[in-house]
Amino acid sequence: MSSSAIEVKICGLKTPEAVETVLKNGASHIGFIFFPKSPRHLEPAQAAELAAAARGKAKIVAVTVNADDAQLDEIVTVLKPDILQLHGNETPERVAQVKQRYGLPVMKAFSIRENSDFDVVAPYQGIADRFLFDAKAPKGSELPGGNGISFDWNLLKARQDLGNYMLSGGLNAENINVALAKTGSFAIDISSGVESEPGKKDVHLIDAFFAAVREASNTK
């Protein structure tokens, strides 16, 4: 992967084996989720233990959903992440507060179903350091991400005003080539697409995904 121009973030890691596998494959980012409703939820101390092997090799991302200062204080103190990913309904003002409080880059996630969903991005331009575009959760889901569904990638093809972003939502080894071709993205995020069941990463699926990314990047 080191020769690839594609950044790959594997999110929701919970085991040393999964961390080892994504690092072996050259992941640019690894994500730990702090959201009790998620099957990928960890306590900060658990994440810190897993992150030790990755520090200096991949960017460590702490993913939260509408977290308050107390929760973020604990995560930042214990995990010492490189990036904070805000995956809730955080306002531009909240993003600015988080950046100022911790002095860390912030990636703001947005849920997309149709072109008009991109309209909410503009107020965050120049505040969030990066965007992540995920599919809108299906009705009844309590998870803002990691639902294994995608949005219409053609929507991104026409948008040249979105700046630095990661593509997420429903990616897997079978569709990543099409996703990259349609969006022109150079950064991707995956969680459920490399799991054998919700919250359980499969090292063989991780290997297969990276192989597909390498193949796709060679044709970009």
Side-chain angles (χ1 to χ4, degrees), residues 76 81-84 95-106 129:
V76 171
D82 299 301
I83 300 168
L84 295 172
V95 173
Q97 289 170 357
V98 169
K99 284 188 62 173
Q100 182 176 22
R101 184 176 180 89
Y102 303 107
L104 290 171
V106 170
D129 298 276

Side-chain angles (χ1 to χ4, degrees), residues 66-75 94 97-98 101-102:
N66 301 320
D68 60 19
D69 286 351
Q71 184 183 6
L72 288 174
D73 285 351
E74 181 184 9
I75 291 167
R94 178 58 175 160
Q97 289 170 357
V98 169
R101 184 176 180 89
Y102 303 107

Side-chain angles (χ1 to χ4, degrees), residues 163-202:
N164 188 10
Y165 74 86
M166 276 192 160
L167 174 66
S168 187
L171 300 175
N172 55 51
E174 284 70 43
N175 66 18
I176 189 59
N177 191 26
V178 173
L180 293 173
K182 284 190 174 183
T183 63
S185 178
F186 286 91
I188 52 181
D189 170 272
I190 185 171
S191 183
S192 62
V194 288
E195 291 179 345
S196 56
E197 59 186 71
K200 186 175 181 180
K201 294 292 186 285
D202 185 308

